[in-house]
Amino acid sequence: MSTTPALTSQALLLLGGAVAAAPIFKRLGLGTVLGYLAAGILIGPFLHLISGGEDILGVAELGVVFLLFVIGLELNLGRLWQMRRDIFGLGTAQVLVTGGLLSAIIYEVGLFPWSGSIITGFGLALSSTAFALQILEENGDNNTRYGQRAFSVLLLQDLAIVPLLALIPLVALQKPEDTTPPYQDFAVAIGAVLVLVAAGRYLINPLFQILARTGAREVMIAAALLIVLGAATLMQMAGMSMAMGAFLAGVLLAESSYRHELEADIEPFRGLLLALFFMAVGLSLEIEVLIEHPLLIVLSVPLLMLIKAVVLYSLCRMTGSSHNDAVRIGLLLPQGGEFGFVLFSAAAAAGVMSQTDASILVAVVTLSMALTPAAAMLSRVLMADTAKEDEEIEEDFEGAGADVLMIGFSRFGQIAAQILLAGGREVTVIDHSAARVQQAASFGFRIYFGDGTRSDVLRAAGIERAKIVAICTHQVEMTDKIIDLVQAEFPNARIYARAYDRLHTLSLRARGVDYELRETFESGLLFGRRTLEGLGVSESQAQSIGDDIRRRDEERLALQAVDGITAGRHMLLFKPVKPEPLIKPKREAASTLGPDEEIAAAVARAAGE
């Protein structure tokens, strides 16, 4: 152990703490965030196995940078427009009213000066996205009215962290060595934003088109990291926060065809570094401060949760929510959030508050998060027993993704997408061909570059929010691989699949897909009907014949699923005839079948398509 570098030892301790704490706290219903915090507190302040949590926190803040980038990627204009009333109405009101009220109380009590009161009040106004979404998902309430409104409030709160982080340098005391006038700093910041916007508009997409054609995934990952860290560093050099730079980069790429691939590539780094950030917050926590101020912390936590719950309930009722929905939202979001850790740590580093004060606030937020499951259960007691309060929202609800996730966009998928779009449904399309993505995007399709055989790409593309997953790839092996992945990783997904031929249809049915269709079946039926009409058969009679063929085909498939591909031959429609070749063959072909049987076998082979 003595020969092991200190850095390696610390990394092992942090990884071991994360691996041990996260599943335990997840099983207890407290969430992984509290698990990481507890692991950090145990390793640092209690056992003193690692010191210098502030140094680790500096590196771990990259997790927040990546988180803001992913949030920016999710904020395409279409999604914001669909949720605009709840996001910018209810969400904005919640942040302003709660933040203003808490800031006023903190200032009047004399805990902080006005600058610290504003940062503290608005930091405590933010709720925990990780906790709230976990509770919604576990209860199956993502698609309820109150779940939709709660998500909108959380989304606005995630957006609010950007201006709050930008506010810290403005309220902090200017450093003595900083002799540049404020207007010059502002001009530099605006210039950096313009450079970032220009790069996002004219450089990044062409770069990814070139890289995607190489087919090297590691190059795409490197490019994603380069963009995030480059944007973050640019904004930091301009005097703004790294998180703001990453957020702006994400927003600029929200409409990019490579958005979902980027999100999937960044996700492992984001998750790991964010876990490290929460552990570093625990490492830097001053236990002595908590021991010295137990009464302040114990009184602050219930007061914070009560104020937030009352404000949320009142605002929800004023904006049209029922009593039950308002109660559930109020008691789902009364806690402090993980972004409070970010804000308070940044404020302490900028001198807006002391590290002691930051530790007290981190303790308040942590305890409020721990009490969230109990608050959510309390909502069931306070709800009125009225009918239809818990019904799901309408089928056209589009809270955070498209109705249909289509994988593969060759000719079959393009035609199917036209029907869906004409029916007023949103369709998110991913395809692994960079050339096809570029071509389809030029026609206005909402298509993204991505590998449909990767679960992280499917998750980034919104498979957990899609009502139907349409698998329209043209290779049998690829289709089967995606179906197996979806059924294993997302068992609740409804799968509609493109089948290659009759054998593939039987295979897909055995896999239990919700719907399948042979790629040439309907077009062959239509071609045959039109040919009959060209020979003088009436349109209604040709339609009846086509319907009968479709019915017979379905009955044959049912038999073949039980008895094998050769079953149901008696249901084929054919009239054995003896062909008369134009040139008499020189010798008779050897065959064990008679002429009628040979023709029947040929028809049966053709019918297997």
Side-chain angles (χ1 to χ4, degrees), residues 83 85-95 98 125-129 132-133 136 146-160 308 312 315-316 319 321 329-330 332-335:
M83 304 173 67
R85 291 185 180 87
D86 285 338
I87 294 176
F88 300 109
L90 177 60
T92 302
Q94 186 274 330
V95 171
T98 307
L126 307 181
S127 303
S128 174
T129 301
L133 292 185
L136 287 174
Y146 96 90
Q148 176 190 3
R149 303 205 81 188
F151 181 82
S152 299
V153 172
L154 291 169
L155 186 56
L156 193 281
Q157 291 178 354
D158 291 343
L159 290 175
K308 292 185 71 173
L312 277 165
L315 291 174
C316 288
T319 53
S321 288
I329 294 172
L332 178 69
L333 309 177
Q335 75 290 119

Short mmCIF file of all heavy atoms in Angstrom, two decimals, residues 83 85-95 98 125-129 132-133 136 146-160 308 312 315-316 319 321 329-330 332-335:
data_model
loop_
_atom_site.label_atom_id
_atom_site.label_comp_id
_atom_site.label_asym_id
_atom_site.label_seq_id
_atom_site.Cartn_x
_atom_site.Cartn_y
_atom_site.Cartn_z
N MET A 83 -44.63 22.86 -23.97
CA MET A 83 -44.79 22.94 -22.52
C MET A 83 -44.67 24.38 -22.02
O MET A 83 -44.47 24.61 -20.83
CB MET A 83 -43.72 22.07 -21.85
CG MET A 83 -43.73 20.63 -22.29
SD MET A 83 -42.32 19.70 -21.63
CE MET A 83 -42.71 19.70 -19.89
N ARG A 85 -46.58 26.94 -21.33
CA ARG A 85 -47.41 27.54 -20.28
C ARG A 85 -46.97 27.08 -18.91
O ARG A 85 -46.84 27.90 -17.98
CB ARG A 85 -48.88 27.19 -20.52
CG ARG A 85 -49.47 27.87 -21.75
CD ARG A 85 -50.96 27.57 -21.86
NE ARG A 85 -51.55 28.22 -23.02
CZ ARG A 85 -51.58 27.70 -24.23
NH1 ARG A 85 -51.05 26.48 -24.44
NH2 ARG A 85 -52.12 28.34 -25.25
N ASP A 86 -46.75 25.78 -18.75
CA ASP A 86 -46.34 25.28 -17.44
C ASP A 86 -44.89 25.64 -17.13
O ASP A 86 -44.55 25.92 -15.98
CB ASP A 86 -46.52 23.76 -17.38
CG ASP A 86 -47.99 23.37 -17.23
OD1 ASP A 86 -48.77 24.23 -16.77
OD2 ASP A 86 -48.35 22.24 -17.59
N ILE A 87 -44.02 25.62 -18.14
CA ILE A 87 -42.61 25.93 -17.89
C ILE A 87 -42.44 27.40 -17.53
O ILE A 87 -41.94 27.74 -16.45
CB ILE A 87 -41.75 25.58 -19.12
CG1 ILE A 87 -41.73 24.07 -19.36
CG2 ILE A 87 -40.31 26.08 -18.92
CD1 ILE A 87 -40.99 23.66 -20.61
N PHE A 88 -42.86 28.26 -18.45
CA PHE A 88 -42.58 29.68 -18.28
C PHE A 88 -43.65 30.41 -17.45
O PHE A 88 -43.44 31.54 -17.06
CB PHE A 88 -42.43 30.34 -19.64
CG PHE A 88 -41.31 29.75 -20.46
CD1 PHE A 88 -41.59 28.96 -21.57
CD2 PHE A 88 -40.00 29.95 -20.09
CE1 PHE A 88 -40.56 28.40 -22.31
CE2 PHE A 88 -38.96 29.39 -20.83
CZ PHE A 88 -39.25 28.61 -21.94
N GLY A 89 -44.77 29.74 -17.21
CA GLY A 89 -45.79 30.32 -16.35
C GLY A 89 -45.64 29.83 -14.92
O GLY A 89 -45.16 30.55 -14.03
N LEU A 90 -46.04 28.59 -14.69
CA LEU A 90 -45.98 28.01 -13.35
C LEU A 90 -44.54 27.92 -12.85
O LEU A 90 -44.24 28.26 -11.70
CB LEU A 90 -46.63 26.62 -13.36
CG LEU A 90 -46.58 25.83 -12.05
CD1 LEU A 90 -47.29 26.58 -10.94
CD2 LEU A 90 -47.18 24.44 -12.26
N GLY A 91 -43.63 27.44 -13.69
CA GLY A 91 -42.24 27.27 -13.27
C GLY A 91 -41.57 28.58 -12.90
O GLY A 91 -40.91 28.69 -11.85
N THR A 92 -41.75 29.59 -13.75
CA THR A 92 -41.15 30.90 -13.46
C THR A 92 -41.74 31.50 -12.18
O THR A 92 -41.01 32.06 -11.34
CB THR A 92 -41.37 31.86 -14.63
OG1 THR A 92 -40.79 31.28 -15.81
CG2 THR A 92 -40.72 33.21 -14.37
N ALA A 93 -43.06 31.39 -12.03
CA ALA A 93 -43.70 31.93 -10.82
C ALA A 93 -43.17 31.24 -9.57
O ALA A 93 -42.93 31.88 -8.54
CB ALA A 93 -45.21 31.77 -10.93
N GLN A 94 -42.99 29.93 -9.64
CA GLN A 94 -42.50 29.20 -8.47
C GLN A 94 -41.11 29.68 -8.06
O GLN A 94 -40.84 29.92 -6.88
CB GLN A 94 -42.47 27.70 -8.76
CG GLN A 94 -42.11 26.83 -7.56
CD GLN A 94 -40.62 26.66 -7.36
OE1 GLN A 94 -39.86 26.68 -8.33
NE2 GLN A 94 -40.19 26.50 -6.11
N VAL A 95 -40.21 29.81 -9.02
CA VAL A 95 -38.85 30.23 -8.70
C VAL A 95 -38.83 31.66 -8.16
O VAL A 95 -38.18 31.94 -7.14
CB VAL A 95 -37.94 30.11 -9.95
CG1 VAL A 95 -36.58 30.75 -9.68
CG2 VAL A 95 -37.76 28.66 -10.33
N THR A 98 -41.00 31.81 -4.59
CA THR A 98 -40.31 31.08 -3.53
C THR A 98 -38.95 31.70 -3.24
O THR A 98 -38.58 31.91 -2.07
CB THR A 98 -40.14 29.60 -3.90
OG1 THR A 98 -41.40 29.05 -4.28
CG2 THR A 98 -39.58 28.81 -2.73
N ALA A 125 -34.79 27.66 -3.37
CA ALA A 125 -36.05 27.56 -4.12
C ALA A 125 -36.03 26.43 -5.14
O ALA A 125 -37.08 25.97 -5.58
CB ALA A 125 -36.34 28.90 -4.83
N LEU A 126 -34.84 25.98 -5.52
CA LEU A 126 -34.71 24.89 -6.49
C LEU A 126 -34.96 23.56 -5.81
O LEU A 126 -34.55 23.34 -4.67
CB LEU A 126 -33.31 24.92 -7.12
CG LEU A 126 -32.86 26.24 -7.73
CD1 LEU A 126 -31.47 26.11 -8.33
CD2 LEU A 126 -33.85 26.72 -8.78
N SER A 127 -35.62 22.66 -6.52
CA SER A 127 -35.93 21.33 -6.00
C SER A 127 -35.02 20.29 -6.63
O SER A 127 -34.29 20.57 -7.57
CB SER A 127 -37.40 20.99 -6.26
OG SER A 127 -38.26 21.96 -5.69
N SER A 128 -35.09 19.08 -6.13
CA SER A 128 -34.23 18.00 -6.62
C SER A 128 -34.86 17.29 -7.80
O SER A 128 -35.84 16.56 -7.66
CB SER A 128 -33.97 16.99 -5.49
OG SER A 128 -33.26 15.88 -6.00
N THR A 129 -34.31 17.52 -8.98
CA THR A 129 -34.80 16.84 -10.18
C THR A 129 -34.62 15.33 -10.05
O THR A 129 -35.50 14.55 -10.41
CB THR A 129 -34.04 17.35 -11.42
OG1 THR A 129 -34.24 18.76 -11.53
CG2 THR A 129 -34.53 16.67 -12.68
N ALA A 132 -37.29 13.90 -7.48
CA ALA A 132 -38.68 14.01 -7.94
C ALA A 132 -38.96 13.06 -9.10
O ALA A 132 -39.98 12.36 -9.12
CB ALA A 132 -38.99 15.45 -8.33
N LEU A 133 -38.06 13.03 -10.09
CA LEU A 133 -38.28 12.16 -11.24
C LEU A 133 -38.22 10.69 -10.84
O LEU A 133 -38.93 9.86 -11.41
CB LEU A 133 -37.24 12.46 -12.32
CG LEU A 133 -37.37 13.83 -13.00
CD1 LEU A 133 -36.35 13.96 -14.13
CD2 LEU A 133 -38.78 14.05 -13.55
N LEU A 136 -41.65 9.93 -9.34
CA LEU A 136 -42.64 9.87 -10.41
C LEU A 136 -42.53 8.57 -11.19
O LEU A 136 -43.54 7.92 -11.51
CB LEU A 136 -42.48 11.06 -11.36
CG LEU A 136 -42.94 12.43 -10.84
CD1 LEU A 136 -42.58 13.52 -11.84
CD2 LEU A 136 -44.45 12.43 -10.59
N TYR A 146 -50.48 15.83 -12.99
CA TYR A 146 -49.59 16.44 -12.01
C TYR A 146 -48.13 16.11 -12.32
O TYR A 146 -47.22 16.92 -12.05
CB TYR A 146 -49.99 16.00 -10.59
CG TYR A 146 -49.22 14.84 -10.01
CD1 TYR A 146 -48.05 15.07 -9.28
CD2 TYR A 146 -49.66 13.53 -10.17
CE1 TYR A 146 -47.35 14.02 -8.73
CE2 TYR A 146 -48.96 12.48 -9.62
CZ TYR A 146 -47.81 12.72 -8.89
OH TYR A 146 -47.12 11.68 -8.35
N GLY A 147 -47.86 14.94 -12.89
CA GLY A 147 -46.50 14.59 -13.28
C GLY A 147 -45.97 15.50 -14.37
O GLY A 147 -44.81 15.91 -14.35
N GLN A 148 -46.84 15.85 -15.32
CA GLN A 148 -46.45 16.77 -16.39
C GLN A 148 -46.12 18.15 -15.82
O GLN A 148 -45.11 18.76 -16.19
CB GLN A 148 -47.59 16.89 -17.40
CG GLN A 148 -47.32 17.90 -18.51
CD GLN A 148 -48.55 18.17 -19.36
OE1 GLN A 148 -49.62 17.64 -19.08
NE2 GLN A 148 -48.39 18.99 -20.37
N ARG A 149 -46.96 18.65 -14.92
CA ARG A 149 -46.73 19.99 -14.37
C ARG A 149 -45.50 20.00 -13.47
O ARG A 149 -44.73 20.98 -13.46
CB ARG A 149 -47.95 20.45 -13.59
CG ARG A 149 -49.25 20.46 -14.38
CD ARG A 149 -50.25 21.46 -13.83
NE ARG A 149 -49.95 22.81 -14.31
CZ ARG A 149 -50.56 23.89 -13.86
NH1 ARG A 149 -51.48 23.78 -12.90
NH2 ARG A 149 -50.27 25.07 -14.33
N ALA A 150 -45.30 18.94 -12.69
CA ALA A 150 -44.11 18.86 -11.83
C ALA A 150 -42.85 18.85 -12.68
O ALA A 150 -41.85 19.52 -12.35
CB ALA A 150 -44.19 17.61 -10.96
N PHE A 151 -42.88 18.11 -13.78
CA PHE A 151 -41.71 18.07 -14.67
C PHE A 151 -41.43 19.44 -15.26
O PHE A 151 -40.27 19.85 -15.41
CB PHE A 151 -41.93 17.05 -15.78
CG PHE A 151 -40.76 16.94 -16.72
CD1 PHE A 151 -39.66 16.15 -16.39
CD2 PHE A 151 -40.75 17.63 -17.92
CE1 PHE A 151 -38.57 16.06 -17.25
CE2 PHE A 151 -39.67 17.54 -18.78
CZ PHE A 151 -38.58 16.75 -18.44
N SER A 152 -42.47 20.19 -15.60
CA SER A 152 -42.29 21.53 -16.15
C SER A 152 -41.63 22.46 -15.15
O SER A 152 -40.74 23.25 -15.50
CB SER A 152 -43.65 22.10 -16.58
OG SER A 152 -44.25 21.30 -17.58
N VAL A 153 -42.05 22.38 -13.89
CA VAL A 153 -41.43 23.20 -12.84
C VAL A 153 -39.96 22.83 -12.69
O VAL A 153 -39.08 23.71 -12.59
CB VAL A 153 -42.18 23.02 -11.50
CG1 VAL A 153 -41.42 23.73 -10.37
CG2 VAL A 153 -43.59 23.57 -11.61
N LEU A 154 -39.66 21.54 -12.68
CA LEU A 154 -38.27 21.10 -12.55
C LEU A 154 -37.42 21.57 -13.72
O LEU A 154 -36.26 21.96 -13.55
CB LEU A 154 -38.22 19.57 -12.45
CG LEU A 154 -38.77 18.95 -11.17
CD1 LEU A 154 -38.91 17.44 -11.32
CD2 LEU A 154 -37.87 19.27 -9.99
N LEU A 155 -38.01 21.55 -14.92
CA LEU A 155 -37.27 21.99 -16.10
C LEU A 155 -36.92 23.47 -16.00
O LEU A 155 -35.79 23.88 -16.31
CB LEU A 155 -38.09 21.72 -17.35
CG LEU A 155 -37.41 21.99 -18.69
CD1 LEU A 155 -36.11 21.21 -18.82
CD2 LEU A 155 -38.35 21.65 -19.84
N LEU A 156 -37.85 24.29 -15.56
CA LEU A 156 -37.57 25.72 -15.40
C LEU A 156 -36.52 25.94 -14.32
O LEU A 156 -35.63 26.79 -14.45
CB LEU A 156 -38.86 26.47 -15.06
CG LEU A 156 -38.86 28.01 -15.14
CD1 LEU A 156 -38.23 28.67 -13.94
CD2 LEU A 156 -38.22 28.50 -16.43
N GLN A 157 -36.58 25.15 -13.25
CA GLN A 157 -35.57 25.26 -12.21
C GLN A 157 -34.19 24.90 -12.74
O GLN A 157 -33.18 25.54 -12.39
CB GLN A 157 -35.94 24.36 -11.03
CG GLN A 157 -37.16 24.82 -10.25
CD GLN A 157 -37.50 23.86 -9.11
OE1 GLN A 157 -36.90 22.80 -8.97
NE2 GLN A 157 -38.47 24.24 -8.29
N ASP A 158 -34.11 23.87 -13.58
CA ASP A 158 -32.84 23.53 -14.20
C ASP A 158 -32.32 24.67 -15.06
O ASP A 158 -31.11 24.93 -15.12
CB ASP A 158 -32.99 22.26 -15.05
CG ASP A 158 -33.22 21.02 -14.19
OD1 ASP A 158 -32.95 21.08 -12.98
OD2 ASP A 158 -33.68 20.00 -14.73
N LEU A 159 -33.22 25.37 -15.75
CA LEU A 159 -32.83 26.53 -16.54
C LEU A 159 -32.37 27.68 -15.65
O LEU A 159 -31.44 28.43 -15.99
CB LEU A 159 -33.99 26.99 -17.42
CG LEU A 159 -34.40 26.09 -18.58
CD1 LEU A 159 -35.65 26.66 -19.25
CD2 LEU A 159 -33.28 25.96 -19.58
N ALA A 160 -33.01 27.81 -14.48
CA ALA A 160 -32.72 28.95 -13.60
C ALA A 160 -31.31 28.89 -13.04
O ALA A 160 -30.76 29.93 -12.66
CB ALA A 160 -33.74 28.98 -12.46
N LYS A 308 -42.08 26.07 0.77
CA LYS A 308 -42.09 25.65 -0.64
C LYS A 308 -43.38 24.90 -0.98
O LYS A 308 -43.96 25.10 -2.05
CB LYS A 308 -40.88 24.77 -0.93
CG LYS A 308 -39.55 25.53 -0.87
CD LYS A 308 -38.38 24.66 -1.29
CE LYS A 308 -38.41 24.39 -2.78
NZ LYS A 308 -37.20 23.68 -3.24
N LEU A 312 -46.07 26.25 -3.74
CA LEU A 312 -46.38 25.38 -4.88
C LEU A 312 -47.87 25.05 -4.94
O LEU A 312 -48.48 25.10 -6.01
CB LEU A 312 -45.56 24.09 -4.78
CG LEU A 312 -44.13 24.16 -5.31
CD1 LEU A 312 -43.32 22.97 -4.82
CD2 LEU A 312 -44.12 24.20 -6.83
N LEU A 315 -49.80 28.24 -6.09
CA LEU A 315 -49.60 28.56 -7.50
C LEU A 315 -50.28 27.55 -8.41
O LEU A 315 -50.84 27.91 -9.45
CB LEU A 315 -48.10 28.63 -7.81
CG LEU A 315 -47.34 29.81 -7.18
CD1 LEU A 315 -45.85 29.68 -7.46
CD2 LEU A 315 -47.86 31.14 -7.74
N CYS A 316 -50.23 26.28 -8.03
CA CYS A 316 -50.88 25.24 -8.85
C CYS A 316 -52.40 25.44 -8.88
O CYS A 316 -53.03 25.30 -9.92
CB CYS A 316 -50.54 23.85 -8.31
SG CYS A 316 -48.84 23.35 -8.63
N THR A 319 -53.35 28.30 -11.11
CA THR A 319 -53.15 28.06 -12.55
C THR A 319 -53.94 26.86 -13.06
O THR A 319 -53.65 26.34 -14.13
CB THR A 319 -51.66 27.86 -12.84
OG1 THR A 319 -51.13 26.82 -11.98
CG2 THR A 319 -50.88 29.14 -12.63
N SER A 321 -54.83 23.70 -11.47
CA SER A 321 -54.71 22.33 -10.98
C SER A 321 -55.81 22.02 -9.97
O SER A 321 -56.27 22.91 -9.24
CB SER A 321 -53.34 22.10 -10.32
OG SER A 321 -52.33 22.05 -11.28
N ILE A 329 -48.07 17.87 -6.12
CA ILE A 329 -46.93 18.66 -6.61
C ILE A 329 -46.24 19.37 -5.46
O ILE A 329 -45.00 19.40 -5.37
CB ILE A 329 -47.41 19.68 -7.67
CG1 ILE A 329 -47.91 18.95 -8.91
CG2 ILE A 329 -46.27 20.63 -8.06
CD1 ILE A 329 -48.58 19.88 -9.92
N GLY A 330 -47.04 19.94 -4.54
CA GLY A 330 -46.46 20.65 -3.41
C GLY A 330 -45.60 19.77 -2.53
O GLY A 330 -44.56 20.20 -2.02
N LEU A 332 -44.25 16.89 -3.53
CA LEU A 332 -43.22 16.22 -4.32
C LEU A 332 -41.96 17.09 -4.45
O LEU A 332 -40.85 16.57 -4.53
CB LEU A 332 -43.76 15.90 -5.73
CG LEU A 332 -42.79 15.23 -6.71
CD1 LEU A 332 -42.48 13.80 -6.28
CD2 LEU A 332 -43.37 15.24 -8.12
N LEU A 333 -42.13 18.41 -4.44
CA LEU A 333 -41.03 19.34 -4.71
C LEU A 333 -40.71 20.29 -3.56
O LEU A 333 -40.31 21.43 -3.81
CB LEU A 333 -41.34 20.17 -5.97
CG LEU A 333 -41.76 19.42 -7.23
CD1 LEU A 333 -42.12 20.40 -8.34
CD2 LEU A 333 -40.64 18.48 -7.68
N PRO A 334 -40.84 19.89 -2.29
CA PRO A 334 -40.56 20.86 -1.21
C PRO A 334 -39.10 20.87 -0.77
O PRO A 334 -38.71 21.69 0.05
CB PRO A 334 -41.45 20.35 -0.07
CG PRO A 334 -41.41 18.87 -0.23
CD PRO A 334 -41.34 18.61 -1.73
N GLN A 335 -38.32 19.94 -1.29
CA GLN A 335 -36.94 19.79 -0.82
C GLN A 335 -36.00 20.75 -1.56
O GLN A 335 -36.33 21.30 -2.60
CB GLN A 335 -36.48 18.35 -1.01
CG GLN A 335 -36.14 17.93 -2.44
CD GLN A 335 -37.35 17.81 -3.33
OE1 GLN A 335 -37.45 18.50 -4.33
NE2 GLN A 335 -38.29 16.94 -2.98
#
